[in-house]
Amino acid sequence: MSPAQASALAASPRDGTLEVLRERGQREVFCGLTGIVWLHRKMQDAFFLVVGSRTCAHLLQSAAGVMIFAEPRFATAIIEERDLAGMADCHAELDRVVDRLLARRPEIRTLFLVGSCPSEVIKLDLGNAAQRIGARHLRSETGEGVRILAYSGSGIETTFTEGEDACLTTLVPEMPAEAADAAPSLVMVGALPDIVEDQFLRLFGELGIASVGVLPARRAGALPPVGPNTRYILAQPFLGETARALEDRGAVRIDAPFPFGADGTAAWLAAAAAAFRIDEMHVNRVIAPGRERAKRALERYKPALEGKRITFLPDSQLEIPLARFLATELGMVPVEVGTPYLHRAHLAADLARLPAATRISEGQDVERQLDRVRADRPDLTVCGLGLANPLEAEGLATKWSIELVFSPVHGFDQAGDLAELFARPLRRRDVLRI
Amino acid sequence: MQLAVWTYEGPPHVGAMRVATAMRGVHYLLHAPQGDTYADLLFTMIERRSARPPVTYTTFQARDLGKDTASLFQNAARDAVERFKPQALLVGASCTAELIQDDPAGLADNMGLPCPVIPLELPSYQRKENWGAAETFYQIVRHLADTSVRPAPREGRRPRVNLLGPAALGFRHRDDVREVRRILDLLGIDVHLVAPLGASPDDIRTIGAADFNIVLYPEIGDEAARWLDKTFAQPAIRTVPIGVGATRAFIAEVAALAGVDPALALDDPSSRMPWWSRSVDSTYLTGKRVFIFGDATHAVAAARIASEELGFTVCGLGCYNREFARDIRGAAKEYGLEPLITDDHLTVEEAIAAAAPELVLGTQMERHIAKRLGVPCAVISAPVHVQDFPARFSPQMGFEGANVIFDTWVHPLVMGLEEHLLTMFRDDFEFSDAAGPSHLHGSAPSHSKAEPVLAPAGDILVREDAAPVAAADGTLGWTNEAERELRKIPFFVRGKAKRNTEKYANEMGLPAITLDTLYEAKAHYAR
C-alpha cells in the first residue's frame, strides 16, 4: 500500500462492526497497466507509453486482444539489456523513443509515460523525464504543447483499476483553477463509456445542476476547473488517490453509493442534487422515469437470480457496490465479496447496504480463497479469466470479471444489461444438454 | 529501448510456463510482481485449458521490496510444494525479480525441499519466449535424465523414439503429435516418450531408453536433443514433416535410422493433397505471389509447400525468431529473396506492402496486416489467437497436415471459377468489386476505402470527376481514362498492375500515366 492509501484509510471512520478478512499471498490480479486499455479509448488525444519490459508489452497485447490493431494510442518502450547498463543511457533512449513517437503522431496532445515494475525497480525517474521532454515539446509557434505526464501502473504499486486512479491523479494538477467568484460546480470523476457519461450529464442538466465537468475529459484541453466551490462525485469506487488530489485543491466529495442499478443510480443522483440544494420534489420527478424503466428491466432477471449465492474474487474494487446491487435489487445472496483494496470511506454507503452475513475480504491468497470457494460452492463465482475455465471444469458457474469494467454497466438504462451479465452464465448452464 | 505495440514473442518466463504447463507433475515457482499472473489466461483462454497452469507466483508488491522478497519466495516455495506435491520444482525469476537480485536457485537450495529443484536462468532483457521454452526443457532433461538408462538390445523388439518439442500454447502441437504417432505406428516404431507435452519428471528420467529422437519443433526441442546426442549418443531427426515432400523425406529418414521399410507409411491413401493440387481447378494457383512470415520452422516448411506443392511464387520470406535465422537465410537464397529477419511488426507490414502479394501466410499479426491491405491470408505459425486452437483435428504435420494446409491456404483465395467469373463479368452488378468474393462473407475487404498510411496492394483511389490524381508518392498522376481502365482489372491483381505501371512510367520519365502507359507497362512486365 502506498503511504497515501494508508493515510486515506487511517482518515476514514473505522466501523467497529465491519469485520474484514485480510489476506496476503499469491494474488491473481492484473496490474495497473491494464487500465490503459480503456483509458486510451476515453481520452481521444492521449497516448500511453509504458516504459517497461517485454512482459509489459505482452500483457497489454493479451489484455487488449484485437483492439491492438486499430491504430492504438498505446505502446511499450521495451527496456533492453543495454538500457540497464547505465541510467544516463536509459534517459537518452527514452528521449529518442518519445521524439520518434511524437513525430509520427502529431495529433497527440497528452502523452502519459507509464511506469512499470521494471522501471520502478531500477528507479527510472519518469516524472523528471516527463518534465524534461515536455519542455522540449512545447510547440511555441502554435502556443500549444504536448502535455507530458507520468504515473505508475506497475504491479508492485497498483492493482488493475488503480491504474486509472494513478492516471487521473496526474490530471488533477492540470485542471484549471476555478474563478474566485465561481458558482458551485460539479465534477463527475471516473472514466465511463461515452453513452453512460452522456446519460448522466443529461440527468444532471435536468436536475438543474448548471455546471458539470467530467474527469477524465474526452480531450486534453477540456479539463474542468477545480477549486473550493467544486463538488465532486465518484462514478467509480477505485479512485482514492484522485479524490485526495481533488481535495488538496479544495474540492469536496459528495458521499453516495455507486450508480449501479435502479436504486443505486437514484441514490447517487439524489446525493448530487442534495449537495446543490435542489428541491426534492423536482429531483423525484426527474429521476422517476429512469428509475421505473430500470426497475422494469431488472424484474425480468429477478426469477433467475433471486436467492442465488454469489462470490466475488478480488479484481477491480467494483465488487462491493456490485454485490450491494445484486443483493438489494435482485435478491442474490453474497457469500464472500473479495476486493483488492477496500476504501472504507468511499464505500461506506454501499457497505452499509450489504447483508450483514456477507464475508468481506481484502487482498488475496488465491489458493486459500479457492479452497473457500470450493467449500462454499456458490451458484456463481465472479473471477478473472485465469480462474474462470478451471472453476467451470470443477463444476462451478463463473462470470468473468473483466467484462464488468469494459461494458457499460452504470446508470438506469444499463441496469438490465448489468443484471444480464450475471444471469447469462446461469441461463447457459441450464440450456446446455451436453 | 525498443518501441513496440505488438510482440511476436512473450518474455522467456512465458516459455518456461509453456513447458511446465505441458508437463505433468511439475510445478513452477516464479518470483514475480503482482500482475504477472496475466500469463495464466493465455493457457486458460487461448488454449482453453481446464486447469490452472502449474505456476505459483510470489506476487511481491512495493511494500515487500527489500529483504522481505526473499522470505516471500521461500514461503511461497514451501506452500507450493506442500499443496501441489510436485515431482520436480522449477524455480526462476520474471523480468522484475531479475532486477531485484534475489537468487531463486540459492534460496530454494537452502530449504531442503522434498523434491528435485531445477533452477532456471532466463535473461528477460536479452531473450524471449521460444528461447525460454527451449532452455527450460533442456534444464529439465539435463537435471532429471538418468544417464545410466540405455536402450535395451535391439533384437526382438520394435524401434523406440522420443518426440521432442511439443508444448503448451504450441500451434497445432496437440494434433501434430497424433499425426506423427500415426506415421510411426505405420512404420512399426514405438514412441517411448513425448516431451514436454504430457510427460512427467519420472518419464523424463527414462529418456535414454529410446533409440533416437525426433525433434518436431527445433525452437523448443533442439537444445535438449543436442545434449541427448552428446550424453546418450541418441541421434536426432531434424526434418520437420510439414508438407508432402517434407513428410516423405521425414519418413525415409526415420525408416533408415530405425531400419524399417519406409513404404509402410509412404503409400498412405489418405494423402489427398497431391491430387487436389494437380486437379485442374488448382491451375489458377500457378504463380500466385505469396508472402510468408512466422517462426523459422513453419516459414521454411511453408515456403517449400508453396513453391513445390502448390505452384505459388514465394515473394517474401521471413521469421521473427533470430535464433533460427540461418534456416530462413538458406531458404530465402533458394527462392532468390532477401530474408526478412525482424521482430518489428511495422517492418513486416512495410515488406508485405512492398511485395504486393496475393496471399499472405503468417501469424495472427500478419492476419491483421493482410486485412488492412485487403489481401487474403492464412495462419501458419504462432502467435495465434483462440480460433487457431480448434476443437477439430487439424494437424500441420504428416499427410493429414498437408490436406489441412491445402484447404486452409486455398480457402481465402478466390477459387478458379470465381476468379474467372469476376474477370469476365466485372461490370455486372453482382460481380462488382464491392460485392467481394462470396466466400469471404461479411469480412470481405472493402475496396472503396483509401488507406491513408500505406498504399494497399488491392486498392486505388478513384475519382470519376477529378483531374489526374497524383500518385501516393507525389510523382505521377493518372489520367481519368487510364484510371478507369485500371479499375477494370480485378482487384486482386490491380495493386500489382498499378505499382508496375507507376514504376514503368517513372523509369521512362513519363509526365503522366495514360491508357497507353498502362498497356506498355503490362507488355514490359509480361514474362
Side-chain angles (χ1 to χ4, degrees):
Chain A
M1 195 188 310
S2 68
Q5 281 170 336
S7 71
L9 189 63
S12 69
R14 291 225 169 225
D15 181 352
T17 62
L18 184 66
E19 268 186 48
V20 174
L21 176 65
R22 282 168 196 276
E23 283 192 304
R24 265 185 79 176
Q26 178 178 326
R27 293 180 138 219
E28 188 85 14
V29 288
F30 281 123
C31 65
L33 294 182
T34 325
I36 292 170
V37 176
W38 67 86
L39 283 171
H40 89 285
R41 302 308 316 160
K42 188 73 204 172
M43 295 184 240
Q44 296 162 8
D45 51 2
F47 194 101
F48 293 78
L49 180 65
V50 176
V51 183
S53 64
R54 179 168 302 281
T55 311
C56 306
H58 197 234
L59 159 88
L60 276 183
Q61 93 185 28
S62 306
V66 293
M67 230 156 69
I68 207 153
F69 302 99
E71 269 300 309
R73 279 174 287 102
F74 58 84
T76 309
I78 297 180
I79 299 171
E80 293 166 313
E81 181 88 298
R82 59 202 176 89
D83 300 307
L84 296 172
M87 294 298 290
D89 185 33
C90 217
H91 282 285
E93 278 289 293
L94 184 58
D95 287 16
R96 182 182 62 80
V97 167
V98 171
D99 288 350
R100 199 178 134 209
L101 184 69
L102 291 177
R104 274 179 56 115
R105 306 293 295 269
E107 77 281 14
I108 297 304
R109 295 268 72 86
T110 304
L111 174 70
F112 290 99
L113 301 177
V114 188
S116 65
C117 302
S119 76
E120 299 288 327
V121 166
I122 64 171
K123 303 208 180 332
L124 188 60
D125 188 345
L126 291 183
N128 193 322
Q131 277 186 359
R132 185 184 65 239
I133 301 170
R136 273 197 297 113
H137 283 277
L138 275 177
R139 293 196 179 127
S140 49
E141 71 274 17
T142 57
E144 212 177 28
V146 183
R147 177 160 49 202
I148 303 192
L149 301 170
Y151 73 90
S152 170
S154 72
I156 55 177
E157 285 166 323
T158 58
T159 304
F160 195 27
T161 48
E162 284 176 356
E164 176 173 334
D165 191 22
C167 173
L168 301 194
T169 304
T170 66
L171 284 173
V172 173
E174 305 293 317
M175 294 164 79
E178 68 183 10
D181 57 346
S185 66
L186 177 67
V187 176
M188 178 169 70
V189 189
L192 293 172
D194 287 352
I195 182 163
V196 179
E197 186 176 296
D198 290 342
Q199 287 168 11
F200 283 153
L201 291 175
R202 264 199 311 271
L203 283 164
F204 286 135
E206 287 170 30
L207 286 169
I209 304 174
S211 165
V212 187
V214 287
L215 181 69
R218 292 179 204 183
R219 301 205 152 267
L223 283 173
V226 66
N229 290 324
T230 306
R231 299 288 170 273
Y232 72 94
I233 188 160
L234 298 178
Q236 302 279 22
F238 43 74
L239 298 171
E241 288 289 290
T242 309
R244 224 175 52 94
L246 286 165
E247 278 167 21
D248 285 348
R249 296 198 58 183
V252 177
R253 184 173 71 90
I254 298 169
D255 190 38
F258 288 91
F260 297 113
D263 298 339
T265 305
W268 187 76
L269 290 167
F276 286 79
R277 301 179 199 291
I278 292 164
D279 172 54
E280 224 171 292
M281 294 282 283
H282 175 66
V283 173
N284 287 338
R285 261 199 312 278
V286 170
I287 289 177
R291 187 179 196 170
E292 282 312 307
R293 255 198 327 269
K295 277 190 184 282
R296 274 205 307 279
L298 291 177
E299 275 312 310
R300 276 190 52 206
Y301 295 100
K302 231 179 196 162
L305 294 174
E306 199 158 29
K308 294 284 194 303
R309 299 162 67 246
I310 186 166
T311 282
F312 286 83
L313 300 194
D315 188 54
S316 61
Q317 298 185 45
L318 292 169
E319 296 83 5
I320 285 171
L322 289 177
R324 182 269 301 156
F325 157 70
L326 293 170
T328 60
E329 304 196 31
L330 289 159
M332 289 189 85
V333 181
V335 180
E336 173 168 342
V337 181
T339 177
Y341 173 72
L342 179 62
H343 196 301
R344 292 184 184 226
H346 289 178
L347 285 163
D350 284 291
L351 282 168
R353 289 164 164 85
L354 265 185
T358 309
R359 185 194 311 139
I360 296 170
S361 61
E362 184 184 12
Q364 188 175 37
D365 179 323
V366 71
E367 303 295 350
R368 267 188 256 160
Q369 192 162 34
L370 288 175
D371 287 344
R372 290 200 298 277
V373 169
R374 290 175 189 123
D376 293 335
R377 290 206 74 80
D379 296 299
L380 192 62
T381 305
V382 183
C383 62
L385 289 172
L387 298 172
N389 270 335
L391 286 177
E392 291 280 352
E394 291 183 29
L396 290 153
T398 61
K399 163 77 215 109
W400 46 282
S401 52
I402 191 168
E403 197 177 10
L404 299 163
V405 177
F406 290 138
S407 316
V409 292
H410 297 67
F412 290 135
D413 292 310
Q414 286 65 239
D417 305 341
L418 179 56
E420 161 75 17
L421 289 179
F422 295 95
R424 193 184 294 143
L426 295 173
R427 191 165 71 239
R428 178 164 187 78
R429 167 157 264 229
D430 290 341
V431 297
L432 291 185
R433 291 281 179 272
I434 54 168
Chain B
M1 278 179 200
Q2 183 204 353
L3 188 60
V5 174
W6 170 274
T7 66
Y8 283 97
E9 291 184 74
H13 72 258
V14 169
M17 287 181 71
R18 291 179 55 190
V19 171
T21 305
M23 292 181 68
R24 295 175 297 121
V26 176
H27 201 83
Y28 182 23
L29 176 62
L30 184 61
H31 203 19
Q34 162 175 277
D36 279 4
T37 51
Y38 82 87
D40 282 359
L41 66 86
L42 304 173
F43 299 91
T44 60
M45 297 308 292
I46 296 179
E47 206 177 5
R48 263 188 261 250
R49 286 190 170 252
S50 58
R52 291 165 63 207
V55 183
T56 292
Y57 304 80
T58 57
T59 48
F60 55 83
Q61 292 173 269
R63 60 178 178 219
D64 304 317
L65 291 177
K67 62 178 181 231
D68 211 15
T69 51
S71 62
L72 203 66
F73 178 87
Q74 290 190 316
N75 290 340
R78 208 168 288 120
D79 289 352
V81 169
E82 166 76 11
R83 182 177 280 267
F84 299 105
K85 304 193 168 41
Q87 295 172 29
L89 183 71
L90 306 173
V91 298
S94 80
C95 51
T96 305
E98 191 182 330
L99 297 173
I100 61 176
Q101 300 187 329
D102 289 335
D103 169 23
L107 288 170
D109 244 8
N110 294 335
M111 293 177 63
L113 293 169
C115 67
V117 173
I118 303 170
L120 301 176
E121 291 281 344
L122 306 175
S124 310
Y125 297 91
Q126 292 171 315
R127 303 293 192 163
K128 290 178 277 190
E129 178 179 329
N130 277 315
W131 189 90
E135 171 70 10
T136 302
F137 182 49
Y138 161 68
Q139 291 295 348
I140 288 173
V141 170
R142 208 182 62 115
H143 273 82
L144 296 178
D146 181 344
T147 49
S148 69
V149 173
R150 286 293 185 276
R154 272 302 297 275
E155 291 75 38
R157 70 163 172 90
R158 291 168 31 130
R160 207 178 278 159
V161 299
N162 297 318
L163 300 184
L164 305 182
L169 269 186
F171 176 65
R172 308 295 166 88
H173 287 196
R174 177 197 70 194
D175 297 343
D176 283 349
V177 168
R178 195 173 133 194
E179 181 64 11
V180 170
R181 271 180 180 277
R182 205 177 63 87
I183 291 173
L184 295 172
D185 204 41
L186 289 171
L187 290 170
I189 297 171
D190 287 334
V191 175
H192 172 66
L193 173 65
V194 179
L197 193 64
S200 71
D202 284 342
D203 296 334
I204 300 283
R205 286 196 179 87
T206 70
I207 200 165
D211 299 309
F212 61 95
N213 292 313
I214 293 175
V215 183
L216 290 186
Y217 308 100
E219 273 85 354
I220 298 174
D222 204 43
E223 186 79 23
R226 273 187 283 130
W227 183 82
L228 289 167
D229 194 0
K230 211 171 61 192
T231 312
F232 293 91
Q234 279 176 335
I237 299 236
R238 291 188 165 78
T239 298
V240 177
I242 301 180
V244 172
T247 298
R248 287 186 181 141
F250 171 83
I251 291 170
E253 274 182 61
V254 171
L257 205 48
V260 298
D261 179 7
L264 295 168
L266 280 176
D267 306 323
D268 189 333
S270 67
S271 175
R272 281 175 290 272
M273 196 263 222
W275 166 244
W276 250 240
S277 192
R278 281 203 175 82
S279 83
V280 291
D281 194 53
S282 299
T283 312
Y284 292 87
L285 302 177
T286 315
K288 285 241 182 241
R289 292 162 55 78
V290 55
F291 189 101
I292 301 171
F293 193 83
D295 68 41
T297 300
H298 285 90
V300 170
R304 178 170 175 190
I305 298 169
S307 85
E308 294 178 9
E309 298 174 17
L310 288 167
F312 292 152
T313 300
V314 180
C315 69
L317 181 60
C319 75
Y320 56 78
N321 52 338
R322 248 162 241 285
E323 292 90 343
F324 287 80
R326 206 168 55 172
D327 302 357
I328 288 287
R329 284 196 201 98
K333 202 180 241 171
E334 238 172 83
Y335 305 110
L337 294 168
E338 269 302 305
L340 177 67
I341 319 282
T342 180
D343 59 357
D344 178 353
H345 64 96
L346 291 175
T347 309
V348 178
E349 181 158 350
E350 279 162 23
I352 292 177
E358 290 158 85
L359 175 68
V360 173
L361 301 175
T363 71
Q364 178 70 14
M365 183 58 194
E366 282 68 46
R367 198 213 294 272
H368 285 273
I369 293 173
K371 195 165 140 195
R372 281 176 67 147
L373 301 180
V375 185
C377 176
V379 169
I380 59 157
S381 158
V384 293
H385 217 318
V386 61
Q387 68 267 40
D388 279 303
F389 285 93
R392 66 181 183 276
F393 182 57
S394 15
Q396 297 286 290
M397 292 183 177
F399 293 126
E400 184 56 28
N403 294 342
V404 168
I405 285 172
F406 181 89
D407 288 346
T408 311
W409 295 9
V410 170
H411 173 89
L413 291 170
V414 178
M415 283 301 290
L417 185 61
E418 192 169 12
E419 179 168 334
H420 184 64
L421 288 172
L422 273 170
T423 316
M424 263 179 81
F425 301 114
R426 56 167 295 83
D427 288 328
D428 185 290
F429 72 99
E430 279 175 311
F431 288 97
S432 73
D433 287 3
S438 61
H439 64 289
L440 290 180
H441 307 294
S443 64
S446 160
H447 296 280
S448 55
K449 266 187 264 165
E451 168 61 58
V453 185
L454 293 157
D459 212 339
I460 180 177
L461 189 68
V462 176
R463 279 179 295 173
E464 291 295 338
D465 55 345
V469 178
D473 54 7
T475 49
L476 272 178
W478 288 68
T479 64
N480 284 338
E481 194 185 24
E483 224 177 81
R484 266 196 296 276
E485 196 73 1
L486 181 70
R487 223 183 141 203
K488 294 178 190 166
I489 298 170
F491 65 82
F492 36 84
V493 287
R494 195 185 304 150
K496 189 174 148 199
K498 178 170 182 275
R499 285 161 34 83
N500 281 351
T501 309
E502 284 172 359
K503 192 168 156 215
Y504 175 82
N506 264 326
E507 278 167 12
M508 295 293 148
L510 302 176
I513 294 169
T514 64
L515 191 58
D516 282 339
T517 323
L518 185 66
Y519 286 112
E520 295 281 346
K522 183 168 191 259
H524 180 80
Y525 286 103
R527 266 171 285 173

